[in-house]
Amino acid sequence: MIKEESKIALIYTGGTIGMVKSEKTGALRAFNFDLLLKKIPELQLLEHQIETYTFDTPIDSSNIGIDDYVRIAAQIEEIYDEYDAFVVLHGSDTMSYTASVLSFMFENLSKPIILTGSQLPIGDLRTDAKENLITSIQLAGFKKDGKPVIREVGLYFEYKLYRGNRTTKLNTDHFQAFSSINYPFLAESAVNLEVNFSALKKINLKQDLIVHKQLNPNILVIKMFPALQKETFEHLLATPNLEAVVLETFGSGNSKTDLWFLNALEKSIEKGIQVVNVTQCKGGSVVMGKYETSQALKEMGVINGKDITTESALGKLMYLLPKKLQSKVLKTVFETSLRGEMSSN
Ligand code: ASP
């Protein structure tokens, strides 16, 4: 890869990477971002020009909500033309949700937006923060023929760059906290930084960036479990203002065939609630109609989530619902890969 200088915006939203232990309670809390840069003098050795932006009040990612998604997107949109790449420091707990929704919010993205964080705070002797931050910046800064190599929303953690909307946080203890089972990694940090070019998103450079900042949060995840009760299910589906449900089904998209279950679901779909079938397995795909236990879902018009993650399905719904598409159109659009978030078959 040719070394060229890039101008990179580092946006700090919060998370362990910039946290310190409270002397009083021992609990981790966010601290001043300027100190974060002091803790990593190595950043000055990179060939890139780095400028920083920070949330007024850095937050634990468990507190992130749709206003924060819009805040991050608006910040990047505002400075989009000034920089070659964006690295967003974010707590790992909900990083996959943010990476997923941002991928939908940025249509025709032609620069990298890489989210990263760490499992141990930057001040910890054994911290993973330095490698994650430095390599994220290096990958974000990669250019070929004067153009950024990565032109999508990525998530970098523990030696791997993933497509953000394919990731899930799988481990609270290991440095390798994320996985992307249904899609190969985009780059790997070993002795050399290896980019997996065939996995990168192809883009049409002629199309202008559109940033979609309207999100609809009237959605719900319902995870199937064998002892699910009629009253509970009906109660959840009767949630006021509910517009869409991500139904985490068993195996390749299977659910109960009890009449109370199917009737409640069908009634909701008739009312205009969108229901997406996503498998609760970590890898593989929904195949509606493969078993009798998914045939009824297919017939009543449940959307096939294929191999999308729950995080990505939520992001896609929040992005699509404000478009006010007819149910059938929304189903077709949802079942189409928009940002490489699902396989096409
Ligand atoms: N609770 C933290 C957060 O998600 C954990 C982390 O940063 O890894 O903000």
Side-chain angles (χ1 to χ4, degrees):
M1 193 69 47
I2 302 158
K3 283 199 171 174
E4 286 181 58
E5 189 187 291
S6 289
K7 197 173 165 199
I8 298 174
L10 193 58
I11 301 168
Y12 178 58
T13 66
T16 298
I17 192 160
M19 286 184 175
V20 280
K21 263 199 182 134
S22 149
E23 278 169 23
K24 262 196 212 149
T25 63
L28 287 170
R29 57 175 173 73
F31 78 108
N32 187 329
F33 184 65
D34 298 335
L35 295 181
L36 179 76
L37 291 181
K38 278 199 199 118
K39 298 262 185 202
I40 315 186
E42 292 91 334
L43 286 177
Q44 272 128 44
L45 301 176
L46 293 171
E47 65 269 33
H48 305 304
Q49 193 185 327
I50 301 162
E51 287 173 8
T52 59
Y53 295 81
T54 179
F55 267 29
D56 291 340
T57 317
I59 49 176
D60 187 297
S61 77
S62 304
N63 280 323
I64 281 205
I66 61 162
D67 291 347
D68 302 302
Y69 299 148
V70 174
R71 197 136 55 109
I72 299 169
Q75 171 74 83
I76 296 175
E77 183 183 27
E78 198 186 314
I79 56 176
Y80 190 75
D81 293 334
E82 289 173 49
Y83 293 90
D84 299 303
F86 306 87
V87 173
V88 179
L89 298 179
H90 191 289
S92 64
D93 288 348
T94 67
M95 196 187 289
S96 291
Y97 291 88
T98 303
S100 296
V101 74
L102 286 177
S103 76
F104 297 108
M105 294 171 86
F106 284 86
E107 188 176 348
N108 305 325
L109 185 65
S110 60
K111 298 179 180 184
I113 299 178
I114 297 183
L115 280 82
T116 195
S118 66
Q119 292 280 59
L120 285 177
I122 197 82
D124 194 293
L125 269 184
R126 295 175 51 251
T127 189
D128 51 333
K130 283 191 185 186
E131 200 284 320
N132 286 346
L133 177 56
I134 289 170
T135 310
S136 294
I137 292 173
Q138 285 190 312
L139 288 168
F142 269 173
K143 278 185 182 166
K144 206 177 167 192
D145 305 328
K147 300 259 182 297
V149 168
I150 291 139
R151 295 184 282 199
E152 56 184 293
V153 177
L155 186 155
Y156 183 83
F157 224 87
E158 189 63 3
Y159 303 116
K160 299 253 178 17
L161 176 70
Y162 305 101
R163 173 164 295 160
N165 59 28
R166 291 292 197 145
T167 61
T168 297
K169 184 172 181 184
L170 277 192
N171 203 302
T172 58
D173 289 339
H174 293 172
F175 286 137
Q176 185 166 358
F178 290 86
S179 79
S180 161
I181 295 180
N182 285 336
Y183 198 75
F185 53 81
L186 306 182
E188 186 174 25
S189 165
V191 174
N192 295 311
L193 287 183
E194 298 286 351
V195 177
N196 185 6
F197 284 94
S198 62
L200 296 180
K201 193 162 184 310
K202 315 273 175 297
I203 60 148
N204 181 346
L205 277 173
K206 290 198 188 105
Q207 286 173 335
D208 290 339
L209 176 77
I210 306 170
V211 185
H212 301 264
K213 293 196 292 287
Q214 233 192 314
L215 298 174
N216 185 329
N218 295 324
I219 52 180
L220 184 66
V221 178
I222 303 181
K223 181 169 181 159
M224 295 289 313
F225 58 101
L228 176 65
Q229 296 296 298
K230 177 175 186 278
E231 292 69 27
T232 315
F233 192 56
E234 288 177 353
H235 184 77
L236 289 172
L237 291 175
T239 303
N241 304 321
L242 185 65
E243 292 185 46
V245 173
V246 174
L247 187 66
E248 277 198 358
T249 54
F250 306 120
S252 54
N254 307 315
S255 70
K256 292 179 171 301
T257 48
D258 296 79
L259 271 184
W260 62 259
F261 175 81
L262 296 176
N263 286 343
L265 212 53
E266 191 161 23
K267 248 190 4 211
S268 303
I269 292 174
E270 278 164 9
K271 263 185 9 202
I273 294 176
Q274 312 291 337
V275 180
V276 181
N277 187 350
V278 171
T279 176
Q280 53 187 253
C281 294
K282 296 297 167 228
S285 185
V286 162
V287 186
M288 291 216 285
K290 181 172 175 189
Y291 291 90
E292 216 173 51
T293 41
S294 65
Q295 184 60 29
L297 303 184
K298 186 176 179 182
E299 281 162 13
M300 70 175 79
V302 167
I303 298 170
N304 187 349
K306 302 181 187 177
D307 63 352
I308 200 169
T309 60
T310 295
E311 292 87 333
S312 212
L314 290 169
K316 198 166 181 177
L317 286 170
M318 286 194 281
Y319 154 75
L320 284 178
L321 288 173
K323 314 273 174 237
K324 301 281 172 222
L325 306 170
Q326 280 179 351
S327 283
K328 271 198 180 151
V329 179
L330 188 137
K331 182 175 189 298
T332 308
V333 176
F334 195 99
E335 290 176 354
T336 308
S337 174
L338 302 179
R339 310 280 191 267
E341 73 284 2
M342 54 164 56
S343 306
S344 41
N345 51 349

